[in-house]
Amino acid sequence: MLPTERLKGIEAFVCTAEAGSFTAAAERLNLTNSAVGKAVARLEARLHTRLFERTTRRLWLTDAGAAFHRTCVRVLEELRMAEQVLAAEKLEPSGRLRVDLPATFGRMRVVPLLVEFAAQHPGVQPHLSFTDRFVDLVEEGIDLGVRIGGPDAWPAALGHRYLGTERLVFCASPEYLARRDAPAGVDDLAAHDAVTYGRADGSANPWLIQRGTAPVERREVPGRFIVGDAGAQVEAVLAGVGIAQLATWLVASHLASGRLVALLPEAATDGLPLHLVWPRSRQLLPKVDALIAHLAQRLKVQA
């Protein structure tokens, strides 16, 4: 079957499902009741599936029809967006731009770049959300997301660009180290108070221990202080609560100022990868294409 044949009857089917009757759909499509009914009947015959249940008084979707309707709505929306892309490909980026960011990294490292981008493109209206969960970009209508971590294989519906991998270092405040001897090696960490990052399920992130060329060891740590926000975790370490393993992008300024001290440099290791992620259906929109280029050039995960 030719691809164009698969589209026949789709518009009549979707309109009938949403209008609730052939008569109402015919009025919306400027067709006769008979034309709409025949289009839907031919579609059902081609699919070998009944899409609607009918009585003399009402019409409703079958289970198969409801599932098919959801798919058709998505396909028609993607076609509409493709037409918008073609119409706008020579235009200046404009319109609302929905961006989803990891909470702390987004505030610290991405928002300044988005402010810069908005100044360069006055027609763009950024709409930012902050969350450390991996939202469904397609389902929630997000134009672009920044992700720390992610799947080994990205869904086919998503485009992505790797921007590097964060670097993790052990660190503590001078006040803490004045009370406790600095660890001389990774085995000494067990005797120290740990400030760890808490996950949503109540567990805590393990420490990643690097010993020379050996594989990285994941060590579960009984945290003295467990915090579910990276910024608050840094504040706890600055206050002298204990030692934490933190990304360099998060603590670079504190290390430079001396408010934090890096420990066991030989144990520093790679953390999670950073990606830009976007729905492929939106990639050619000028606002999305321009933002991908801007962040790919300016956003760096390591300090």
Side-chain angles (χ1 to χ4, degrees), residues 259-272:
R259 295 188 67 199
L260 290 179
V261 177
L263 306 171
L264 307 173
E266 72 281 3
T269 187
D270 287 341
L272 296 171

Side-chain angles (χ1 to χ4, degrees), residues 98 100 131 133-143 147 155 157-158 277 279:
R98 292 198 59 191
D100 187 70
T131 177
R133 67 183 179 89
F134 284 4
V135 302
D136 187 321
L137 301 184
V138 176
E139 184 71 21
E140 300 195 25
I142 304 296
D143 293 303
R147 292 285 176 263
L158 298 180
V277 187

